[in-house]
């Protein structure tokens, strides 16, 4: 499986089969609810079981992106937005926060004694593609995609 990190310029065009977008409070509870919703929608839309590898991947990447939005991308009183898109061949999770100047760090390993900073390494390892998009001076979106099984896989 190949994993790709893409920036704004390399973003593929999207034509969702289904989509959902909700705002969550920039709290740990908001991040947890976003993760739960993402997995619920994934299993509902795809018919894949809740305990499948792909559902676990959706849970992991959503948890990490939502947690980063809360920890690094929030301003007081501002929520983050979770968008879920079912595309013909993949499921896409987008988390939009209010700190466009705080872009995800480069994918360099953290020193062994660091207690944080490894979350995007997990996204890199588990998502089939991920990246970031900054469309305006007020928000940024970090997204991750999980490929859906093809017939016979």
């Amino acid at each position: 499986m190949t994993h790709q990190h893409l920036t704004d310029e390399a973003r593929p065009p999207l034509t969702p089969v289904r989509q959902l977008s909700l705002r969550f409070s920039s709290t740990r509870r908001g991040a947890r609810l976003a993760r739960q919703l993402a997995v619920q929608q994934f299993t509902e839309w795809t018919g894949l079981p809740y305990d499948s590898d792909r559902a676990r991947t959706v849970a992991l990447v959503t948890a990490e992106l939502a947690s980063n939005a809360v920890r690094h991308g929030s301003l007081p009183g501002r929520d983050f937005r979770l968008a879920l898109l079912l595309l013909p061949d993949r499921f896409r999770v987008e988390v939009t926060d209010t700190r466009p100047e705080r872009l995800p760090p480069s994918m360099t390993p953290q020193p062994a004694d660091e207690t944080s900073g490894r979350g995007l390494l997990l996204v890199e390892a588990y998502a089939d593609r991920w990246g970031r998009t900054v469309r305006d001076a007020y928000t940024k979106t970090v997204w991750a995609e999980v490929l859906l099984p093809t017939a016979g896989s």
Side-chain angles (χ1 to χ4, degrees), residues 13-145:
L14 303 176
T15 51
V17 175
R18 292 185 177 181
Q19 63 186 40
L20 175 69
S21 178
L22 291 172
R23 292 183 108 48
F24 290 90
S25 64
S26 289
T27 62
R28 287 179 23 198
R29 181 175 185 268
R32 184 176 65 250
L33 291 173
R35 177 187 51 81
Q36 291 170 344
L37 176 69
V39 174
Q40 177 184 334
Q41 286 306 130
F42 176 80
T43 59
E44 208 172 284
W45 289 347
T46 65
L48 292 170
Y50 186 82
D51 62 351
S52 68
D53 286 342
R54 287 182 175 91
R56 288 186 191 117
T57 297
V58 167
L60 184 141
V61 299
T62 304
E64 186 54 41
L65 298 182
S67 174
N68 282 350
V70 169
R71 190 175 304 121
H72 306 293
S74 66
L75 291 170
R78 301 287 303 270
D79 298 339
F80 71 90
R81 181 179 58 87
L82 172 72
L84 305 172
L85 295 89
L86 178 64
L87 300 156
D89 63 341
R90 62 197 185 275
F91 185 80
R92 182 177 174 112
V93 176
E94 297 181 349
V95 175
T96 302
D97 67 43
T98 55
R99 298 296 298 267
E101 77 281 5
R102 288 191 169 179
L103 297 176
S106 63
M107 298 307 304
T108 56
Q110 298 295 315
D113 58 347
E114 285 292 321
T115 59
S116 65
R118 293 182 182 83
L120 288 176
L121 291 172
L122 291 173
V123 172
E124 173 82 13
Y126 284 91
D128 293 295
R129 294 190 322 183
W130 76 279
R132 57 132 171 97
T133 305
V134 177
R135 290 192 187 99
D136 58 42
Y138 307 104
T139 62
K140 79 167 171 301
T141 300
V142 182
W143 54 268
E145 294 177 345

